[in-house]
Amino acid sequence: MKNNYLLVGGKKVRVEMNWNAMMSFCDEKGIDDLSKIGDAGSLTTRDLLSIMHAAIKEGERMDGNGFDLTKEQLSERLRPSDISRFMEIYKEQCGVNEDDSNPGSGSVKKKSVFRRLISRG
């Protein structure tokens, strides 16, 4: 598995959308029932910032670094190209580009929590 990085405000930061990042986002949003993810309607810009912040904080933790920027401090350093790159990383790490079916098996994979979140946004 390769590590993914973004350049934010001139600093290279790791992005890791793992279960720790997802739990941080859910805790912040007050989501304790995973079936509610994807049923909430659309992903807001603030939701995306929260996900991004959680994923960067987790990636930096995994690299042995601290990440002390608040969401607002992170946001002021972001440009539209940074958001686009983050979404590419997010989709890659959450398996959005995987086929929905397994050829030859006749079965259809259930969308993951991460994929449902993206598909609503």
Side-chain angles (χ1 to χ4, degrees):
M1 174 191 294
K2 71 175 185 167
N3 295 335
N4 299 107
Y5 293 88
L6 280 177
L7 195 60
V8 176
K11 181 181 178 199
K12 184 177 169 182
V13 293
R14 181 172 170 185
V15 176
E16 196 63 47
M17 194 60 218
N18 62 15
W19 195 245
N20 285 337
M22 192 64 190
M23 285 188 306
S24 292
F25 171 72
C26 288
D27 286 348
E28 181 178 325
K29 295 293 292 179
I31 298 171
D32 57 1
D33 178 354
L34 293 180
S35 69
K36 292 179 183 175
I37 295 177
D39 293 336
S42 63
L43 187 66
T44 69
T45 55
R46 292 215 179 266
D47 290 341
L48 181 56
L49 178 60
S50 294
I51 291 168
M52 191 175 199
H53 187 263
I56 292 171
K57 192 168 187 172
E58 177 61 10
E60 286 296 279
R61 183 198 67 79
M62 290 179 72
D63 270 0
N65 302 321
F67 185 72
D68 58 354
L69 293 181
T70 65
K71 285 183 290 184
E72 290 72 24
Q73 291 168 330
L74 172 62
S75 183
E76 69 190 15
R77 290 165 172 80
L78 296 174
R79 300 292 177 255
S81 61
D82 301 324
I83 302 298
S84 294
R85 177 66 186 129
F86 172 77
M87 289 306 295
E88 290 172 12
I89 293 168
Y90 183 86
K91 288 176 182 180
E92 178 185 323
Q93 290 185 0
C94 295
V96 172
N97 295 327
E98 295 174 358
D99 292 334
D100 285 337
S101 63
N102 185 359
S105 72
S107 66
V108 176
K109 294 180 190 175
K110 185 177 179 182
K111 282 188 176 180
S112 73
V113 170
F114 299 122
R115 292 179 73 188
R116 283 187 290 151
L117 183 63
I118 293 170
S119 68
R120 296 286 188 162

